[in-house]
Amino acid sequence: MASTDSAANARGYQQLLDFARQHVPGRRCWALEGTGSYGSGLAAFLDAADESVVEVCRPKRPAVRGGRKTDMLDAVRAAREALATEHLIHPRRRGEREALRVLLATRQSAVLASTAAINLLKALIISAPDELRVELRGMKSKDQVAHCAKLRDRPTQNIEHRMTVRALRSAGQRIEALRSEAKELELELLALVRTVAPELLALQGIGLSAAQILISWSHSGRFRSEAAFAAFAGVAPIPASSGLTNRHRINRSGDRQLNRALHTITLIRIRLDPVTRAYVARRISEGKTARDAQRCLKRAICRQLFKLLERGAQPTRQINADDLLTRLIEA
């Protein structure tokens, strides 16, 4: 068994590839850990060189304390895990998918920072001097932000009043800037989704959630079946039957961001789509609880999205978001 190491740059990646070609001529398979973070550079380089790359989870550490730990041993564990795994994981693509990911991550960061700034503004208003609280009393949250962002210095007031005005103005301007940034990123995300998969936006209840769906799905052929995609999304129910009891329990594993996107789509369709409401009512009439019926709907939506993404857009056929649910109701 041969081993080597190299720097994490283009020259080092080429050295690794030359080393592999020397010792493993012909067909090869690379088992990489962390292809979405520290291993992303090597994964992209190997993909561009038409090498076969699979992703492995972090190798299990020895159960006993004091187990050996080196980069070489981790590499051996990763190779053994890839050889023993029945279903190998293909790394997610870069390019447009990675562009969606960085935009969505930045927008989520802006939204969280905006929420934190709003909480700060509310706390400042509660403890502000009476004169300032009277100005802001009765206003809606949006109007309070706009008013605070335009506050001017008041030299005639005491230092507490002046500094509170300064803090309120800073918080208000921060909120407006973050909201504007989030809106710009949202427009860029939607424009990119229209370029990559416009058929997703044609479905009812799917807006910005389409970006997360494309990020998690990545590319055609990554999942061996729609059942595997449902398990990855955490919407495949887990059997929990015992004796005469026949039931399933909720799946709390998988990609939680994708699960959240499917949950959002489900809630929108239940609220706006009469076909979806009829489906949920039918499930409840069969003895399921409202939450179980909602989980069944989420599973059906996941199946619909997977089939749509795998086959791509079909210009000869009009895509209708209610097709799958209508067939379920008529079944």
Side-chain angles (χ1 to χ4, degrees):
M1 180 178 65
S3 63
T4 186
D5 56 9
S6 64
N9 52 39
R11 183 178 180 181
Y13 300 152
Q14 186 62 50
Q15 291 175 354
L16 286 178
L17 183 56
D18 294 339
F19 179 83
R21 287 172 174 171
Q22 177 184 356
H23 290 82
V24 189
R27 297 180 61 185
R28 292 172 297 276
C29 182
W30 297 73
L32 303 184
E33 178 186 351
T35 58
S37 55
Y38 291 107
S40 60
L42 178 58
F45 178 86
L46 294 174
D47 183 67
D50 294 329
E51 294 287 319
S52 177
V53 181
V54 297
E55 183 177 5
V56 295
C57 300
R58 192 187 76 170
K60 294 182 179 179
R61 302 292 186 256
V64 296
R65 295 187 64 182
R68 296 174 179 85
K69 168 69 173 74
T70 64
D71 291 340
M72 179 59 191
L73 292 176
D74 283 346
V76 173
R77 293 190 185 107
R80 289 175 176 173
E81 181 177 343
L83 291 173
T85 302
E86 182 179 358
H87 301 293
L88 297 174
I89 304 174
H90 296 281
R92 296 176 179 178
R93 293 274 174 86
R94 297 187 67 85
E96 293 171 333
R97 191 212 68 87
E98 183 65 11
L100 285 170
R101 188 192 69 81
V102 296
L103 286 177
L104 186 61
T106 306
R107 180 188 177 275
Q108 290 174 345
S109 175
V111 171
L112 291 175
S114 175
T115 302
I118 291 173
N119 293 336
L120 171 64
L121 181 68
K122 295 292 185 180
L124 291 173
I125 292 175
I126 290 174
S127 60
D130 291 338
E131 298 86 345
L132 287 173
R133 283 191 289 133
V134 169
E135 291 183 32
L136 300 169
R137 187 172 297 152
M139 290 185 180
K140 295 182 179 180
S141 180
K142 184 177 180 180
D143 296 332
Q144 286 182 341
V145 172
H147 184 83
C148 290
K150 297 177 181 178
L151 286 175
R152 296 184 177 181
D153 294 333
R154 303 175 180 181
T156 59
Q157 298 291 342
N158 57 41
I159 188 170
E160 177 189 352
H161 190 108
R162 296 199 309 272
M163 293 303 103
T164 303
V165 168
R166 177 69 178 86
L168 290 173
R169 182 172 66 245
S170 177
Q173 292 174 351
R174 186 186 311 169
I175 295 169
E176 289 186 339
L178 289 169
R179 284 177 172 174
S180 177
E181 177 185 350
K183 186 62 178 179
E184 291 177 0
L185 292 170
E186 180 179 344
L187 294 176
E188 291 184 9
L189 278 167
L190 292 176
L192 188 53
V193 170
R194 290 189 186 96
T195 302
V196 178
E199 62 273 12
L200 278 181
L201 296 178
L203 301 180
Q204 186 174 28
I206 301 182
L208 200 60
S209 299
Q212 182 60 56
I213 293 170
L214 289 172
I215 291 169
S216 300
W217 173 73
S218 181
H219 59 275
S220 178
R222 181 168 183 257
F223 296 94
R224 63 185 183 277
S225 65
E226 60 90 12
F229 182 65
F232 177 77
V235 299
I238 300 175
S241 303
S242 178
L244 299 178
T245 303
N246 186 11
R247 60 179 290 270
H248 293 77
R249 65 178 178 85
I250 187 174
N251 189 345
R252 301 187 183 277
S253 61
D255 188 332
R256 304 316 299 172
Q257 295 301 319
L258 176 58
N259 187 279
R260 178 185 178 184
L262 292 173
H263 183 73
T264 301
I265 297 170
T266 300
L267 294 180
I268 294 174
R269 289 194 180 182
I270 290 175
R271 187 174 71 250
L272 301 178
D273 185 20
V275 178
T276 302
R277 288 198 296 270
Y279 171 78
V280 173
R282 181 170 72 92
R283 286 295 189 178
I284 294 175
S285 66
E286 294 173 354
K288 295 186 179 296
T289 64
R291 297 185 69 179
D292 287 339
Q294 183 175 321
R295 291 169 190 156
C296 292
L297 175 62
K298 191 185 297 185
R299 178 68 177 85
I301 293 174
C302 181
R303 182 184 301 113
Q304 178 195 31
L305 293 174
F306 178 79
K307 291 181 178 180
L308 177 65
L309 291 169
E310 287 294 318
R311 69 169 180 260
Q314 295 183 1
T316 59
R317 179 177 179 273
Q318 181 65 31
I319 298 172
N320 187 353
D322 301 332
D323 285 349
L324 176 61
L325 297 181
T326 302
R327 289 197 297 270
L328 288 172
I329 291 173
E330 294 175 350

